[in-house]
Amino acid sequence: MTTAIIYPKLNHQQIYEDYSAKIYRYFRYRVKNVWDVEDLTTTVFIKVYSKLEQYDGRHPFGAWIFRIAHNALIDYMRKKRESPVDQDTFSNMVATDKLPEECLLNQETTEVLWDKVHTLTKDQRNVIALRYLGDLRMNEIAEILGKTEASVKILHFRGIKKLQQLMTEQA
């Protein structure tokens, strides 16, 4: 007999505090319209809260939430047929205390890097986005994408290697 395991001793507010920024960043990278990003993030938490009693603990809680987010993104993309957002928007989301010259240089480098990310395969892009924008571990990414952890690590390695090669050629 299996019983549902609720997220250990955390309430809805704690779950939201732990995952909202990560899920928002994950959507923000992929969706142009900020309002849609906010709607998607809200939709994910509505689904999470409504299905919380169904979480059985077989997989990491973060992977379970990001699986819901990933499915919401796929549904959204099918409806909108939208391409990913320009990365200058993503760069502007990051606030720093650096000099303006440093910020401009970092922004240009970030824009070039994310332009190169778009040349990767779809699977490599998904792994990179979940890893660095969603701040997820490889086992969580594997669960979300329905792949083995080994294949996710290979996709990550090849994607990073390709990005390094492209950035070296750029310099």
Side-chain angles (χ1 to χ4, degrees):
M1 182 172 126
T2 339
T3 58
I5 299 172
I6 305 300
Y7 192 54
K9 300 178 185 169
L10 294 179
N11 59 27
H12 290 191
Q13 181 179 351
Q14 186 65 50
I15 294 169
Y16 184 81
E17 288 173 6
D18 289 349
Y19 291 97
S20 62
K22 294 175 183 180
I23 289 172
Y24 183 89
R25 272 194 319 265
Y26 174 67
F27 287 142
R28 189 68 188 107
Y29 162 70
R30 307 297 297 257
V31 177
K32 289 181 183 178
N33 186 324
V34 176
W35 301 107
D36 288 344
V37 171
E38 292 173 0
D39 288 346
L40 281 167
T41 303
T42 301
T43 300
V44 166
F45 283 97
I46 290 170
K47 288 180 182 178
V48 165
Y49 298 151
S50 69
K51 297 180 181 205
L52 195 56
E53 69 279 351
Q54 295 174 11
Y55 174 65
D56 60 10
R58 289 183 296 163
H59 308 289
F61 189 76
W64 182 75
I65 287 180
F66 267 89
R67 185 66 176 169
I68 293 170
H70 185 71
N71 290 339
L73 179 64
I74 289 170
D75 291 345
Y76 172 83
M77 293 295 196
R78 283 183 187 143
K79 290 177 186 172
K80 294 284 188 175
R81 303 255 184 238
E82 185 171 338
S83 61
V85 69
D86 291 314
Q87 289 311 311
D88 60 333
T89 306
F90 173 75
S91 299
N92 291 335
M93 291 178 3
V94 180
T96 65
D97 294 333
K98 296 180 182 176
L99 296 172
E101 297 84 11
E102 290 178 281
C103 289
L104 183 59
L105 183 59
N106 286 343
Q107 182 175 349
E108 289 173 357
T109 304
T110 301
E111 288 173 11
V112 170
L113 176 63
W114 285 108
D115 284 342
K116 303 297 182 200
V117 168
H118 293 298
T119 67
L120 301 175
T121 67
K122 179 183 174 185
D123 285 340
Q124 288 171 337
R125 282 193 312 265
N126 283 335
V127 169
I128 298 291
L130 288 167
R131 177 72 183 108
Y132 297 104
L133 298 174
D135 197 28
L136 297 176
R137 295 184 309 267
M138 294 298 178
N139 64 328
E140 294 172 319
I141 296 168
E143 179 64 32
I144 291 164
L145 298 178
K147 298 184 178 300
T148 65
E149 187 173 347
S151 66
V152 167
K153 287 179 179 179
I154 290 169
L155 286 167
H156 181 262
F157 175 79
R158 290 180 180 164
I160 295 296
K161 192 160 182 88
K162 177 77 173 180
L163 287 174
Q164 288 172 336
Q165 176 188 3
L166 292 170
M167 292 301 285
T168 302
E169 291 170 4
Q170 178 78 27

